[in-house]
């Protein structure tokens, strides 16, 4: 027996008919595909013109099927739906949650869908991989301040990677938004935790050194120690990454 449940943000109940049909039309040729891998992300335009980002999570397998089905841990889409409001309440920009949809078959979780507003930011941090100092210096200062703000609020994105940090440059400076926020840690963020959080970013060694020292200054940490921890975490992550996916590195990685 198949059952589909819907959690809809009260502010978007006027889209109920559209949202309740998501499992029926999502796999069709409709929508703009943003990512097609283990999870599938598409952008659709709702009947009222609202642009919606819909992420379909793969059906969990093995032990995870029981972990998510029995409520031992919240499914990723459910966490993303809940965490959006937490981030926004702390002044951290992220797409607003619209709905969470879950399919179950004989009580076991199948596909699940997270629906949010489509983020209007157009840039990702991949663009800073081989950026010149004239660009990466102001960007690094802004990103360090943004990261410090997140951490001071007791929030840590566990997948703080180039594709999950979106940005725009405005007259007021650089603006940032977080996406793919189902992996969050809530609580005090220590110096060690904060410094290690930069490891996955793309960029030259000098870019990371500047990030570390700016971050340390804002949070009241020792700049030399912070730089040492950031570079060590970066070196450890990218050495491991190179062993598996060296061909995917699109910037000059100096370790």
């Amino acid at each position: 027996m198949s059952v589909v449940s819907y959690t809809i943000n009260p502010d978007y109940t006027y889209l109920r008919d559209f949202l309740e049909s998501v499992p029926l039309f999502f796999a069709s040729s409709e929508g703009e595909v943003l990512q097609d891998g283990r999870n599938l992300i598409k952008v659709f335009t709702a009947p009222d013109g609202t642009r919606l980002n819909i992420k379909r999570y793969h059906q969990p397998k093995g032990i995870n099927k029981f972990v998510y089905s029995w409520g031992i841990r919240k499914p990723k889409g459910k966490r993303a739906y809940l965490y959006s409001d937490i981030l926004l309440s702390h002044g951290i920009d992220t797409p607003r949650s619209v709905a969470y949809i879950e399919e179950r078959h004989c009580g076991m979780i199948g596909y699940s869908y997270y629906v949010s507003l489509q983020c209007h930011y157009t840039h990702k941090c991949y663009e800073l991989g081989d950026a010149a100092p004239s660009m990466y210096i102001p960007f690094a200062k802004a990103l360090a301040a943004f990261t410090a703000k997140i951490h001071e609020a007791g929030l840590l994105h566990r997948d703080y990677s180039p594709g999950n940090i979106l940005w725009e440059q405005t007259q007021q400076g650089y603006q940032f938004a977080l996406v793919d926020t189902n992996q969050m840690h809530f609580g005090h963020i220590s110096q060690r935790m904060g410094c290690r959080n930069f490891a996955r970013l793309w960029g030259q060694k000098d870019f990371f050194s500047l990030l570390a020292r700016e971050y340390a200054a804002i949070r009241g940490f020792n700049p030399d120690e912070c730089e040492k921890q950031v570079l060590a975490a970066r070196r450890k992550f990218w050495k491991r990454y190179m062993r598996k996916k060296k061909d995917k590195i699109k910037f000059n990685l100096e370790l």
Side-chain angles (χ1 to χ4, degrees):
M1 179 180 179
S2 297
V3 176
V4 182
S5 61
Y6 302 86
T7 302
I8 300 176
N9 184 324
D11 290 340
Y12 298 98
T13 53
Y14 64 90
L15 293 175
R16 180 176 292 278
D17 289 345
F18 176 83
L19 294 170
E20 290 185 348
S21 64
V22 165
L24 300 178
F25 67 69
F26 186 84
S28 71
S29 59
E30 297 179 45
E32 174 190 351
V33 177
L34 296 186
Q35 175 183 309
D36 188 2
R38 186 174 62 165
N39 303 315
L40 178 59
I41 304 176
K42 290 184 174 184
V43 177
F44 292 88
T45 301
D48 72 329
T50 302
R51 296 280 284 170
L52 298 175
N53 184 296
I54 305 180
K55 182 174 184 176
R56 186 184 71 181
Y57 293 89
H58 72 286
Q59 301 185 58
K61 301 182 184 299
I63 188 64
N64 282 335
K65 195 171 189 71
F66 296 96
V67 168
Y68 292 134
S69 298
W70 294 349
I72 298 172
R73 192 178 187 200
K74 288 185 177 67
K76 293 181 178 180
K78 184 70 171 181
R79 279 181 267 150
Y81 177 84
L82 296 172
Y83 293 168
S84 171
D85 279 349
I86 296 175
L87 289 169
L88 290 170
S89 71
H90 285 90
I92 309 301
D93 201 1
T94 192
R96 195 169 183 214
S97 292
V98 174
Y100 170 66
I101 304 166
E102 186 177 284
E103 297 179 3
R104 286 182 177 255
H105 309 284
C106 298
M108 303 300 287
I109 191 169
Y111 285 124
S112 58
Y113 307 80
Y114 171 54
V115 186
S116 67
L117 299 181
Q118 173 63 9
C119 187
H120 66 276
Y121 289 59
T122 58
H123 298 281
K124 296 181 179 180
C125 287
Y126 291 112
E127 300 169 43
L128 276 296
D130 280 323
S134 60
M135 181 174 183
Y136 80 66
I137 289 176
F139 184 87
K141 292 180 178 180
L143 182 59
F146 175 69
T147 309
K149 177 182 178 180
I150 299 171
H151 293 174
E152 289 288 349
L155 311 171
L156 184 141
H157 195 313
R158 291 184 182 275
D159 189 8
Y160 205 55
S161 55
N164 292 336
I165 307 169
L166 309 185
W167 62 274
E168 291 288 351
Q169 188 173 14
T170 69
Q171 291 183 342
Q172 290 72 43
Y174 289 97
Q175 306 295 317
F176 297 93
L178 295 180
V179 296
D180 202 10
T181 57
N182 66 83
Q183 300 183 64
M184 296 293 299
H185 169 83
F186 302 101
H188 173 69
I189 311 302
S190 66
Q191 176 178 319
R192 182 170 179 270
M193 292 172 65
C195 290
R196 291 176 65 185
N197 204 209
F198 290 110
R200 295 169 179 258
L201 298 180
W202 286 31
Q204 302 163 58
K205 190 174 181 180
D206 288 347
F207 169 73
F208 277 81
S209 292
L210 181 57
L211 266 177
R213 302 189 77 84
E214 290 289 327
Y215 176 78
I218 296 169
R219 295 206 64 197
F221 298 148
N222 180 289
D224 293 334
E225 184 60 29
C226 200
E227 181 180 9
K228 179 180 177 181
Q229 290 181 343
V230 168
L231 293 180
R234 172 181 182 264
R235 185 164 52 251
K236 180 179 180 181
F237 174 81
W238 285 104
K239 279 187 174 181
R240 185 171 66 247
Y241 189 96
M242 287 177 67
R243 289 198 295 267
K244 299 178 181 179
K245 305 176 183 179
K246 185 177 181 178
D247 60 312
K248 292 189 177 183
I249 298 177
K250 305 299 182 183
F251 62 98
N252 180 25
L253 180 61
E254 178 191 352
L255 297 176

